[in-house]
Amino acid sequence: MTDVLRTPERRVEGREKVTGTARYAADAAREGMLHAAFAGSPYPHARVLAVDTAAARAVPGVRAVLTGADVRPARFGRRLLDWPVLAWDRVRFIGDRVAAVAADTPEAAERAAALVDVTYEELPAVFDMDAALAPGAPLIHPDAADYRMLGVTRPPVPHPNAQGHQVHEHGDPAAGFAAAARVFEHELALPPVHHAYLEPRAALVWIDGATVHVVTTNKAPFSLRAQLAAVAGVAEDAIVVHTPHVGGDFGGKGLSLDEWPLYFLARVTGRPVRSVLRYADELQISNTRHGARIRLRTGVDRDGRITAHEARVRFDGGAYAAGKPIPFLMPGEAMATLAGYRVPAARVEATCAYTNHLPAGHDRAPGQPQNSFAAESHLDLIARELGVDPLELRERNAIRAGDVDVHGDEWHASEMPRVLAELRRASGWGRPLPPGHGRGVALGARHVGRGKTSLELTLDERGDVVVRSGVTDQGGGALTMIGRVVARELAIAPERVRVEQVDTARSPVDPGVGGSRVTMVHGNAALDGARKLAAARDAGAAPPIRVVGSADQTAHMFGSYAYAVEVELDRETGAFRVVDATLVADVGTVINPVAVRGQLEGGFAFGLGQALMEELAIVGGRVVTASFGEYKIPSIADVPPLRLVLLTDAPGPGPFGAKSVGELANPAVVGAVANAVADAGARVLTLPISAEKVLAALRGGAA
Amino acid sequence: MPVLIARRLDEALDELAAHPDTTVLAGGTDLMVELNFGRARPARVLAVDRIDELRQSAGGSRVRLGAAVTYARLLRDGAGSRALEEAARTVGSPQIRGAGTVGGNLGTCSPAGDTLPVLAALDAVVVLRSARGERRVPFAEFMTGPKRSVRRSDELIVAAEWDDAGPAQTFVKVGTRNAMVIAVASLAMVIDRARRRVGIALGSCGPTILRAPDAERFVRVLCDEAGWDRPLRLSEAERTELGRLVSAAARPIDDVRGTSAYRRHVLGVIAGRALARLGAA
Ligand SMILES: Cc1cc2nc3c(=O)[nH]c(=O)nc-3n(C[C@H](O)[C@H](O)[C@H](O)COP(=O)(O)OP(=O)(O)OC[C@H]3O[C@@H](n4cnc5c(N)ncnc54)[C@H](O)[C@@H]3O)c2cc1C
């Protein structure tokens, strides 16, 4: 039979989704279900002096009204439990919840929530990350010493308003700067942005005897189970988490918000309680990509080769660190300021600050778009100063096998030079441009996913296979991928493999979707299971044959990519259009050809939004872009055709040599666009690159 | 919440007369947003999108456009105004254009309503009717502030009417993305060569749709000099002057979509371009 991987995949959940029969968390319902609504703070920072719930309780249909006093001392978080389920003594951002209502109808719950009467005493608020980290800044978490950290002890921080802090140094930066022919320094800034997935968070919680059931949009059900066990003080095996289809995630759905108060409401009422977050609340209280201010200083020799690099990275973590799963409580790639380049000596310092903004969390390649925008703009400015073609400068500095990167790690292999050579060819780099046009380049690199999981496979009499996994599918095609890996290994048609996503009671522990992990980890577990099935079958075992496939993916490897983007600029208005784009991506073996293209094209559009228009604008702590009318993401009219070149011959550690693509290619779009606009005449140092900023830059003002 | 789906105009007008607290519903593309955000809680709703008389239009030298004509219909059948068609094309998405109506745009009366600068520049008349009779209000008097008009609660907007102004008219909208966007600034320009009339109106640049009378006068003089039935070739200095006059007419504010300074600037640019294009035709 022909190779399964050569045929474009059919999504296993595709029919359900396009016919509207797919069920999401917001569709879950149970007999006797109540509806929840919440009262949030109107102040960015205030003491809670009193909460009067009498009027709320009097609303017909209201079954329970809980306040901070009822849940104290429950705090939640993915790693650091610093976010009170309901605030009892202090609110830290506009929207921070102080009360939760369960009622017979959503309308009654909303009405009651609006009647919760809270007496506040305003406290000085701090919105700027540098101000928050200054000596004498108002403290946002005076009780931080009491907070629990899941699994690890909290690394020390240099300031009580720091969520996380890291310093890295390798080589001899002082000597490298001394040896440099030129030293350049630039500062760039990015606002927080939102993932803008279609499906808002939703959850349904009920308690059945000793068992707590949760239907959720959380894409990492086992992590939610562990967090809920910690928050509620119940055993993990007394909690069952069901995640149906997830309607988009991009990293945001790793943090649960409503599940915690719903648990307490379900406990006091004895009824199932559901909530569906309004999108306005998604934009006002959920975890965003971190806003950042990044200062880079780089020394280069006469040929533009990097001799030393220094970076100071500041992230706005908002009011809580709860959205961050990694122990350093920073965006994952906080330190990757020159990703994909040879950096012989570096000192990188990154700090994530508490502020009275809405909490930041994980968003597709956390930390990378920020650092990529800064680094790619910085290098482009250096190229222009040196009079070196920007692509040429990148070719000279691209990391090669045997070089060390910005983390001081040596790369044993690098596709980066090949990626750039291919980009030069495929984009027609150097071809003369029409007047008013500009062309920009940016490269990027991302580590492939790591982690471990297991899944169960059963081969029946007919030779068909059922795979049961605890992994969720947030739209990336995880279940389809698993089926195709098994089908290919067993040389059967993909339709003969059924992949079932099961709840936490019926699946081995699973790390969930995230960190570009699924194809690397779940794909390898599926491959392992398929090999075991084949071995047992060949050894004459009688069906049904049941095996557990496992994987522990620890390989250290990167995927590389680069963009060339062309813009057309209107010098009178500052408006510009991206008219052409080329992406060369080193993706290894392709398992889901349609999904790989979808992830890369989607990542391009995603990055384009951040470059062109996305900004969660916050004024005095209030999000003023709290609907998709104001918070703009690209429409199809804003996205040009993307010329996509895949390098598939450098195998990765995934099944059959696959690499990760989900978070590979969104980060560098911002730099490529900024550099193209600069080539057309306007260097803009903050995102998004609005027409207004471009016009200011064209007129020589600050942008 | 009682909802009456009216089929006849008199039935709708009687309902409005009997219940002044009634909220009119056409395509719902504004009203449903208000409901969704909890900003509107209508006591009663009157749906007018099936009233034949509101869906009828008439062309010719006097154009009449029924209030319940959707953008999609108007684009399919023609609107009797090229600028209005250009404006309709920029409204929302195909879904919004399939439901949204010109009457709804007038009913909402937002300074960012895309048809409104066109109706202003055309010197259109808004036809209002109640059980007590009909009023014909020039657009300039119809809109009194942001989301405020002289429409009384017992009146329906039944149509807009204007004199056919010929082909030299255009609508230009500046936004922060290429579709589905609320205007940062917009401009309608009409050069009615037959009637020797110039209309220039600005959207998203003040509390109401603003006319730019000095700029209109300036263009009229240019047309007088060049001859109304001749192409108008604009010098760079004239273009700059027009831009200055249009910018000066605007009264924009700073908001998340743009600063007032940028709005003024960009209005000047698009005015110059609009005239260069219309004049040459
Ligand atoms: C996603 C989206 C994108 C949009 N994009 C644009 C855009 O690009 N440009 C733009 O201008 N607008 C835009 N809008 C706003 C809206 O679509 C327009 O204002 C549209 O013209 C409203 O018409 P409607 O028939 O839907 O009005 P409705 O929502 O039905 O009514 C609007 C208001 O007018 C009143 N009303 C309606 N008809 C009458 C009548 N005959 N007599 C008296 N009162 C009446 C209603 O009571 C209500 O107050 C957008 C809206 C959405 C949701």
Side-chain angles (χ1 to χ4, degrees):
Chain A
M1 97 171 239
T2 60
D3 185 346
V4 167
L5 303 191
R6 291 197 189 285
T7 320
E9 77 275 19
R10 289 180 63 125
R11 272 298 177 92
V12 295
E13 82 284 18
R15 174 176 290 274
E16 266 181 86
K17 283 185 177 169
V18 300
T19 56
T21 57
R23 285 284 164 269
Y24 295 84
D27 300 316
R30 286 185 72 80
E31 175 99 27
M33 183 175 81
L34 302 176
H35 301 266
F38 305 96
S41 167
Y43 300 110
H45 199 191
R47 235 185 282 284
V48 178
L49 299 182
V51 186
D52 181 351
T53 60
R57 283 174 203 282
V59 172
V62 169
R63 303 291 164 179
V65 182
L66 296 182
T67 70
D70 301 305
V71 304
R72 183 174 191 164
R75 295 185 177 93
F76 66 93
R78 295 179 74 181
R79 184 63 72 172
L80 181 70
L81 277 60
D82 67 348
W83 191 336
V85 169
L86 298 169
W88 53 84
D89 59 350
R90 182 187 283 255
V91 286
R92 297 178 176 85
F93 72 99
I94 291 175
D96 209 356
R97 288 166 169 177
V98 288
V101 179
D104 293 342
T105 62
E107 292 75 17
E110 290 287 348
R111 208 170 318 129
L115 291 172
V116 173
D117 184 10
V118 187
T119 312
Y120 294 99
E121 177 191 310
E122 263 197 275
L123 292 168
V126 53
F127 301 123
D128 181 79
M129 41 202 150
D130 286 309
L133 295 171
L139 293 193
I140 298 172
H141 288 268
D143 303 332
D146 300 342
Y147 296 170
R148 291 162 67 202
M149 187 90 170
L150 292 177
V152 290
T153 47
R154 185 170 175 197
V157 286
H159 188 289
N161 280 342
Q163 298 182 353
H165 177 71
Q166 265 176 289
V167 181
H168 162 82
E169 191 167 331
H170 77 267
D172 186 342
F177 278 114
R182 307 268 310 260
V183 175
F184 298 91
E185 184 164 347
H186 300 107
E187 185 171 285
L188 295 100
L190 307 84
V193 294
H194 192 269
H195 322 72
Y197 31 70
L198 268 182
E199 176 203 33
R201 286 179 172 75
L204 167 65
V205 176
W206 74 98
I207 300 170
D208 185 1
T211 307
V212 182
H213 289 269
V214 184
V215 180
T216 174
T217 48
N218 193 306
K219 50 80 173 273
F222 284 87
S223 309
L224 173 60
R225 187 178 73 164
Q227 292 160 36
L228 185 57
V231 172
V234 297
E236 284 195 32
D237 58 13
I239 301 169
V240 183
V241 178
H242 315 253
T243 302
H245 293 292
V246 177
D249 156 35
F250 308 110
K253 300 275 177 69
L255 177 70
S256 280
L257 297 174
D258 292 359
E259 284 79 343
W260 328 105
L262 291 183
Y263 165 76
F264 287 96
L265 288 170
R267 211 173 61 180
V268 299
T269 59
R271 306 261 295 264
V273 190
R274 186 177 79 184
S275 76
V276 179
L277 204 62
R278 290 176 307 186
Y279 219 100
D281 288 332
E282 278 287 348
L283 294 167
Q284 290 175 100
I285 69 175
S286 83
N287 54 336
T288 65
R289 186 184 293 290
H290 291 68
R293 193 178 301 130
I294 299 173
R295 195 162 69 218
L296 301 179
R297 193 167 157 256
T298 301
V300 294
D301 69 13
R302 221 166 299 285
D303 300 324
R305 290 196 165 77
I306 297 165
T307 61
H309 171 67
E310 198 175 71
R312 180 178 164 283
V313 184
R314 287 269 197 270
F315 291 109
D316 180 353
Y320 298 105
K324 285 182 279 273
I326 67 166
F328 273 107
L329 300 177
M330 301 252 270
E333 299 295 334
M335 308 289 286
T337 50
L338 277 182
Y341 293 98
R342 177 184 61 253
V343 186
R347 185 178 191 283
V348 177
E349 183 198 335
T351 316
C352 185
Y354 276 119
T355 65
N356 294 111
H357 282 157
L358 76 163
H362 268 190
D363 184 355
R364 199 171 193 174
Q368 279 198 313
Q370 295 95 321
N371 278 324
S372 179
F373 173 60
E376 293 299 321
S377 302
H378 178 57
L379 286 175
D380 224 64
L381 283 155
I382 294 175
R384 282 166 213 283
E385 278 289 318
L386 296 177
V388 177
D389 172 78
L391 178 53
E392 171 77 33
L393 187 84
R394 285 170 175 82
E395 285 165 339
R396 289 183 196 169
N397 286 289
I399 194 157
R400 291 175 162 70
D403 291 341
V404 293
D405 65 11
V406 68
H407 308 299
D409 293 335
E410 184 181 326
W411 283 34
H412 304 298
S414 172
E415 303 311 312
M416 196 62 86
R418 237 170 26 107
V419 164
L420 294 180
E422 193 56 35
L423 186 75
R424 182 177 279 285
R425 191 196 60 72
S427 68
W429 190 265
R431 156 180 57 86
L433 292 176
H437 285 230
R439 184 189 278 138
V441 59
L443 61 72
R446 182 169 174 83
H447 205 288
V448 298
R450 285 177 280 202
K452 58 178 165 187
T453 194
S454 307
L455 31 79
E456 288 175 8
L457 298 85
T458 309
L459 180 73
D460 70 15
E461 303 72 19
R462 295 184 310 268
D464 292 357
V465 180
V466 176
V467 185
R468 289 152 69 97
S469 169
V471 74
T472 57
D473 195 332
Q474 26 59 303
L479 304 183
T480 306
M481 180 277 300
I482 289 171
R484 282 166 66 87
V485 167
V486 172
R488 184 190 206 229
E489 186 60 18
L490 298 178
I492 58 178
E495 298 74 50
R496 296 182 56 194
V497 184
R498 197 170 79 238
V499 186
E500 293 178 352
Q501 184 237 327
V502 293
D503 63 45
T504 55
R506 293 183 295 149
S507 151
V509 174
D510 184 274
V513 178
S516 297
R517 172 187 305 130
V518 173
T519 300
M520 300 301 101
V521 175
H522 299 78
N524 275 342
L527 182 60
D528 178 60
R531 286 183 177 148
K532 286 175 177 160
L533 284 181
R537 181 190 58 193
D538 296 347
I545 308 171
R546 199 151 157 223
V547 301
V548 173
S550 300
D552 186 359
Q553 199 316 88
T554 56
H556 182 51
M557 194 184 279
F558 287 83
S560 303
Y561 69 102
Y563 282 102
V565 161
E566 184 180 330
V567 300
E568 179 186 3
L569 179 65
D570 178 339
R571 297 186 66 87
E572 285 186 317
T573 64
F576 66 94
R577 282 187 323 124
V578 178
V579 294
D580 188 52
T582 306
L583 166 61
V584 179
D586 149 42
V587 298
T589 301
V590 173
I591 295 174
N592 285 347
V594 180
V596 164
R597 177 167 276 276
Q599 288 294 327
L600 295 173
E601 290 180 342
F604 172 63
F606 198 89
L608 214 50
Q610 204 184 350
L612 303 180
M613 61 191 80
E614 290 187 40
E615 173 171 18
L616 211 58
I618 311 177
V619 178
R622 184 177 302 284
V623 173
V624 295
T625 50
S627 78
F628 280 127
E630 296 296 351
Y631 185 86
K632 296 200 175 57
I633 62 172
S635 76
I636 194 65
D638 301 288
V639 183
L642 177 68
R643 199 173 306 114
L644 187 56
V645 181
L646 300 181
L647 303 186
T648 58
D649 53 355
F656 316 118
K659 287 181 178 170
S660 306
V661 294
E663 300 170 283
L664 180 67
N666 60 294
V669 181
V670 283
V673 173
N675 293 339
V677 174
D679 190 45
R683 171 63 67 182
V684 178
L685 299 174
T686 62
L687 292 184
I689 307 168
S690 64
E692 188 159 354
K693 289 183 197 171
V694 170
L695 187 69
L698 284 168
R699 293 168 156 193
Chain B
M1 182 198 319
V3 178
L4 176 70
I5 300 174
R7 309 273 167 180
R8 294 191 328 273
L9 186 54
D10 55 352
E11 171 193 17
L13 297 178
D14 287 347
E15 173 78 1
L16 281 180
H19 304 284
D21 59 347
T22 297
T23 299
V24 176
L25 170 73
T29 59
D30 277 322
L31 190 60
M32 296 312 288
V33 174
E34 295 295 298
L35 284 172
N36 190 31
F37 284 125
R39 291 191 295 243
R41 284 267 169 273
R44 322 171 64 85
V45 170
L46 170 68
V48 299
D49 59 327
R50 311 207 185 154
I51 300 174
D52 268 342
E53 196 167 340
L54 302 193
R55 292 156 62 171
Q56 280 159 11
S57 302
S61 66
R62 184 75 181 165
V63 181
R64 181 182 169 97
L65 185 72
V69 173
T70 65
Y71 298 109
R73 260 262 324 268
L74 170 167
L75 285 169
R76 197 186 57 218
D77 300 347
S81 158
R82 185 175 285 181
L84 195 65
E85 289 161 17
E86 289 173 357
R89 219 168 277 130
T90 76
V91 171
S93 59
Q95 295 90 326
I96 296 298
R97 293 193 289 274
T101 63
V102 176
N105 216 226
L106 281 164
T108 297
C109 228
S110 157
D114 282 327
T115 66
L116 308 187
V118 180
L119 295 176
L122 285 168
D123 271 336
V125 164
V126 180
V127 184
L128 297 165
R129 194 172 309 161
S130 72
R132 293 181 287 167
E134 187 171 283
R135 288 202 289 161
R136 306 169 65 80
V137 184
F139 181 82
E141 291 161 33
F142 175 76
M143 185 173 183
T144 54
K147 306 207 170 175
R148 285 208 313 271
S149 73
V150 299
R151 182 182 85 86
R152 291 191 298 255
S153 59
D154 66 340
E155 284 176 319
L156 269 188
I157 302 163
V158 294
E161 286 184 14
W162 61 87
D163 290 332
D164 176 21
Q169 47 175 287
T170 191
F171 171 81
V172 187
K173 171 172 168 180
V174 176
T176 51
R177 70 177 158 196
N178 290 325
M180 288 281 283
V181 74
I182 307 169
V184 168
S186 64
L187 173 140
M189 185 180 286
V190 174
I191 302 177
D192 185 340
R193 293 183 185 280
R195 291 184 183 75
R196 307 199 161 193
R197 203 186 67 75
V198 174
I200 299 176
L202 317 178
S204 283
C205 285
T208 62
I209 302 302
L210 299 172
R211 291 285 286 266
D214 293 341
E216 290 174 350
R217 208 168 304 120
F218 179 73
V219 175
R220 262 201 317 272
V221 171
L222 291 178
C223 290
D224 281 341
E225 287 167 0
W228 282 88
D229 40 12
R230 294 251 188 69
L232 177 69
R233 244 170 282 288
L234 210 54
S235 75
E236 201 47 44
E238 287 159 350
R239 207 183 91 142
T240 308
E241 177 61 6
L242 175 68
R244 194 185 67 75
L245 293 172
V246 167
S247 293
R251 285 157 56 203
I253 53 162
D254 292 336
D255 68 15
V256 279
R257 294 190 279 274
T259 61
S260 61
Y262 183 73
R263 290 185 151 111
R264 276 187 203 280
H265 167 80
V266 89
L267 276 169
V269 173
I270 60 180
R273 288 180 183 175
L275 183 57
R277 190 149 44 82
L278 296 186

